[in-house]
Amino acid sequence: MDKKKMLEEMLKNYLVNIAILKNIDIDIEELNLSDAPDHKKLDRLNQVKQQKQLEVQKIDNLLSFLNDRDRKIIEMKYFKRMKYEDMSVELDLSSGYIGCLKYKIIKKLVDDTQI
């Protein structure tokens, strides 16, 4: 998978990963409260938790490099899953221009960082 597609998948999965992290925390807490915790399951959950935390941190770090408009475009497209037409109304920009901006933002993130 090329870097651009990999970044877009990470962005699409960002909110899902946050939800997974919350559920893992609940699962770990439940296991720790049980009379005989399954240590293999705890280890596996902690390993998945660490992987998901790293993915979330990478996206947080990348978003911190963006200006407000670019960050909003990424959040609207990947986190809110908005269509370009809906984004254009909110941003007061043409949907075609937003598509071009999104492409440039993704390219810049891939070119300027180690994904």
Side-chain angles (χ1 to χ4, degrees):
M1 181 180 301
D2 73 349
K3 290 181 179 183
K4 181 181 171 284
K5 292 232 182 274
M6 189 168 73
L7 174 58
E8 289 184 301
E9 283 302 310
M10 288 173 67
L11 288 165
K12 288 176 187 174
N13 293 326
Y14 178 80
L15 294 179
V16 171
N17 284 336
I18 290 174
I20 289 170
L21 284 168
K22 289 177 183 178
N23 286 333
I24 288 173
D25 284 338
I26 292 168
D27 291 344
I28 289 171
E29 188 174 336
E30 286 176 342
L31 280 170
N32 285 328
L33 292 174
S34 70
D35 292 334
D38 182 342
H39 293 289
K40 283 186 179 181
K41 188 171 184 178
L42 275 171
D43 289 344
R44 187 173 48 79
L45 285 171
N46 280 312
Q47 188 176 21
V48 171
K49 179 179 177 177
Q50 186 177 21
Q51 176 192 359
K52 296 299 179 187
Q53 284 174 326
L54 291 173
E55 289 178 28
V56 167
Q57 283 178 325
K58 282 182 181 181
I59 295 302
D60 287 340
N61 292 341
L62 289 173
L63 293 177
S64 72
F65 288 108
L66 298 177
N67 63 44
D68 290 342
R69 182 196 67 185
D70 291 353
R71 185 175 21 262
K72 188 166 187 169
I73 288 171
I74 293 299
E75 289 171 353
M76 292 169 83
K77 185 63 183 166
Y78 293 101
F79 304 165
K80 295 180 181 177
R81 311 275 174 136
M82 292 176 73
K83 297 178 182 178
Y84 289 126
E85 293 79 20
D86 298 329
M87 293 169 65
S88 71
V89 171
E90 191 167 325
L91 297 172
D92 196 28
L93 300 168
S94 75
S95 56
Y97 185 57
I98 293 171
C100 290
L101 287 173
K102 186 212 62 138
Y103 174 82
K104 288 177 183 178
I105 296 164
I106 296 295
K107 182 170 178 3
K108 179 178 175 18
L109 288 173
V110 168
D111 291 346
D112 291 353
T113 60
Q114 297 295 321
I115 300 289

